[in-house]
Amino acid sequence: MAASDHHQTPTLPLLIKFHDVEKGSSTVEPHTLNSTKTTSFLTTTFNGLNALSGVGILSVPYALSSGGWLSLILLFAIAGTTFYTGLLIKKCMEVDPDIRSYPDIGHKAFGPKGRLLVSIFMNLELYLVATGFLILAGDNLHNLLPDVRIDVFGIVINGRQSFVLLVALILTPTVLIDNMTTLSYISATGVFASVIILASILWSGMSEGIGFRHKGVLLNWSGLPTAFSLYAFCYCAHPVFPTLYTSMTNRRHFSGVLFVCFTFCTFAYVTTAVLGYLMFGGELQSQITLNLPTDRLSSKVAVYTALITPISKYGLMLKPIVETIESHFRSCCEKRFYGLFVKTGLVGSSVVVALTLPFFGSLMSLVGASLSVTASILLPCFCYLKISYRKIGIESAFIVFALLMGLVILVVGTYTSFLEIVHSL
């Protein structure tokens, strides 16, 4: 989630509406933006920042501590590569004005199988990022209130598990809301939350007695796979780039939108990572908010602001999945009871996964290494090669570099993250 909370993630932009469109396939995919071109450069930039910024800002200090100072080179490499693959998505969409979503690009390149493949990776990534929100909220609330427990009919639930359940109950209404305009305005708070978190971390280091005393290590080879995966998670918003592009009044300026968004988010990620590593060194936990002293005002501001992210993003994360399920079972889901069952079932299943895999860092690393890399690096390259690439030149070197980087992160990062989760069980 990029990691890209990828990502993190891929969060959905402001002013989003969903509608179903059937294009050359029996599979009906949810599209994520009104087809009318109404957004300006500034509005689209804000939407892009909302898509790129997320829970990745909490995990990027841990990524730096895992790989060491030189791993920042990897962050810049991933930022540049994902910016370039974002431009490839733009080029793919310029070929056919009927392309309005990421699955549409997959269909244009590889037919119905391409649409299905892109949909699977996109929806699975959204589901796991939403699950990561529950883990994030549970960890931070338990850190602030370690003695809280829930007693339900004699069954006592202690620790972070109780907070995961409480947060899921609070977030369920956002999943049940069908008015996407309402949900999208709620999600806009995530952008401001990232800025507040960064300011709170700086405040903690400067005025709360923590300081910036740790020197860290130059390079930690064993931690590079984890760092690579978490950095990739920070730039996982590519599935929503087509919706941003189609919404613009002047689409020629979309490259500028991407440049501003990637520059701003990279600055925020690097600043947070450096501050966190100087403050806590190798003792950094999977979320920097877990390192902050709970009795300090700045720490409480950072933690409570971090909790805004799940509230603002959770419903929008699951909405495309709900739309996909309902499109396949339309006759049943037209009845209100079945629609309610689908939505609450998704929330319940994500709670089960969050309780089973309570390892935020490892889960986000796995999502970044497998799903985010596939959706943000590999698929844009393959689709572009199939749709519009016609000659061999300097662009070939960029595409080969992007594919090699993506494959390395996919194989090594997924293997390392999977082992970390298994060993933690």
Side-chain angles (χ1 to χ4, degrees):
M1 112 139 202
S4 331
D5 91 28
H6 93 130
H7 22 133
Q8 240 344 43
T9 217
T11 51
L12 297 179
L14 182 64
L15 298 178
I16 292 179
K17 295 183 179 180
F18 290 81
H19 61 279
D20 295 329
V21 176
E22 186 170 357
K23 286 175 58 61
S25 171
S26 59
T27 301
V28 181
E29 293 295 341
H31 287 209
T32 54
L33 199 67
N34 195 314
S35 59
T36 304
K37 296 184 290 181
T38 59
T39 58
S40 64
F41 181 93
L42 182 62
T43 303
T44 309
T45 300
F46 184 81
N47 291 342
L49 291 173
N50 189 35
L52 273 178
S53 63
V55 295
I57 199 169
L58 300 180
S59 59
V60 73
Y62 174 71
L64 179 57
S65 71
S66 298
W69 288 112
L70 288 181
S71 70
L72 284 175
I73 298 175
L74 301 180
L75 188 150
F76 286 112
I78 292 175
T81 300
T82 50
F83 169 69
Y84 175 68
T85 54
L87 296 179
L88 294 185
I89 289 178
K90 172 180 177 290
K91 291 183 179 181
C92 289
M93 299 193 69
E94 290 174 340
V95 174
D96 187 350
D98 290 331
I99 296 178
R100 298 196 172 279
S101 73
Y102 207 17
D104 282 350
I105 295 177
H107 186 271
K108 180 69 176 180
F110 302 104
K113 292 182 179 180
R115 175 184 290 274
L116 178 62
L117 181 66
V118 171
S119 297
I120 290 174
F121 278 101
M122 183 178 72
N123 289 323
L124 186 56
E125 181 183 29
L126 292 174
Y127 179 81
L128 290 179
V129 170
T131 302
F133 287 161
L134 296 179
I135 299 174
L136 179 151
D139 287 346
N140 281 284
L141 284 173
H142 179 55
N143 188 47
L144 284 178
L145 306 168
D147 299 325
V148 172
R149 66 178 185 175
I150 299 177
D151 189 342
V152 181
F153 301 112
I155 301 177
V156 178
I157 305 175
N158 294 313
R160 60 173 300 280
Q161 291 82 5
S162 62
F163 285 113
V164 169
L165 293 174
L166 283 174
V167 170
L169 290 175
I170 295 173
L171 295 180
T172 298
T174 67
V175 181
L176 301 179
I177 295 175
D178 290 323
N179 188 321
M180 289 309 302
T181 301
T182 302
L183 279 179
S184 60
Y185 276 113
I186 295 174
S187 75
T189 58
V191 177
F192 299 104
S194 298
V195 176
I196 294 174
I197 290 172
L198 176 58
S200 299
I201 293 172
L202 179 61
W203 179 13
S204 296
M206 294 180 61
S207 61
E208 300 288 356
I210 298 176
F212 306 98
R213 305 182 182 91
H214 291 268
K215 296 181 179 180
V217 297
L218 189 63
L219 183 64
N220 180 16
W221 286 101
S222 62
L224 283 182
T226 298
F228 230 151
S229 301
L230 289 174
Y231 291 152
F233 176 73
C234 293
Y235 296 95
C236 59
H238 289 57
V240 303
F241 286 169
T243 66
L244 299 180
Y245 175 81
T246 56
S247 73
M248 288 195 72
T249 303
N250 191 341
R251 297 177 181 180
R252 292 178 298 175
H253 295 161
F254 186 69
S255 299
V257 169
L258 290 181
F259 179 80
V260 173
C261 291
F262 275 86
T263 300
F264 180 87
C265 287
T266 299
F267 172 80
Y269 288 141
V270 171
T271 303
T272 305
V274 170
L275 290 177
Y277 199 26
L278 289 174
M279 290 166 64
F280 302 107
E283 299 177 357
L284 273 162
Q285 300 187 51
S286 60
Q287 306 163 51
I288 188 174
T289 47
L290 299 179
N291 287 94
L292 300 176
T294 57
D295 59 338
R296 309 289 174 82
L297 177 60
S298 58
S299 303
K300 293 180 179 179
V301 171
V303 172
Y304 286 123
T305 303
L307 296 176
I308 294 177
T309 300
I311 296 174
S312 63
K313 307 287 188 182
Y314 188 79
L316 284 176
M317 287 287 103
L318 294 183
K319 187 63 177 178
I321 307 175
V322 172
E323 293 282 345
T324 301
I325 296 174
E326 289 181 344
S327 69
H328 285 283
F329 302 97
R330 186 172 301 278
S331 59
C332 294
C333 291
E334 285 178 353
K335 300 178 181 180
R336 186 174 181 180
F337 171 78
Y338 289 104
L340 182 64
F341 177 78
V342 168
K343 295 172 184 177
T344 55
L346 277 174
V347 175
S349 64
S350 67
V351 169
V352 173
V353 175
L355 295 176
T356 305
L357 301 174
F359 322 109
F360 179 82
S362 299
L363 178 62
M364 294 302 99
S365 178
L366 178 62
V367 173
S370 56
L371 303 175
S372 298
V373 164
T374 302
S376 299
I377 297 179
L378 298 180
L379 286 178
C381 289
F382 286 128
C383 289
Y384 174 71
L385 289 174
K386 180 66 175 179
I387 293 175
S388 59
Y389 188 72
R390 296 292 181 270
K391 62 181 180 179
I392 298 176
I394 187 64
E395 194 171 39
S396 301
F398 289 114
I399 294 177
V400 170
F401 176 80
L403 287 173
L404 289 176
M405 174 184 289
L407 290 172
V408 169
I409 300 175
L410 177 65
V411 175
V412 179
T414 300
Y415 176 75
T416 303
S417 303
F418 182 76
L419 287 182
E420 289 179 356
I421 292 177
V422 171
H423 291 159
S424 301
L425 292 175

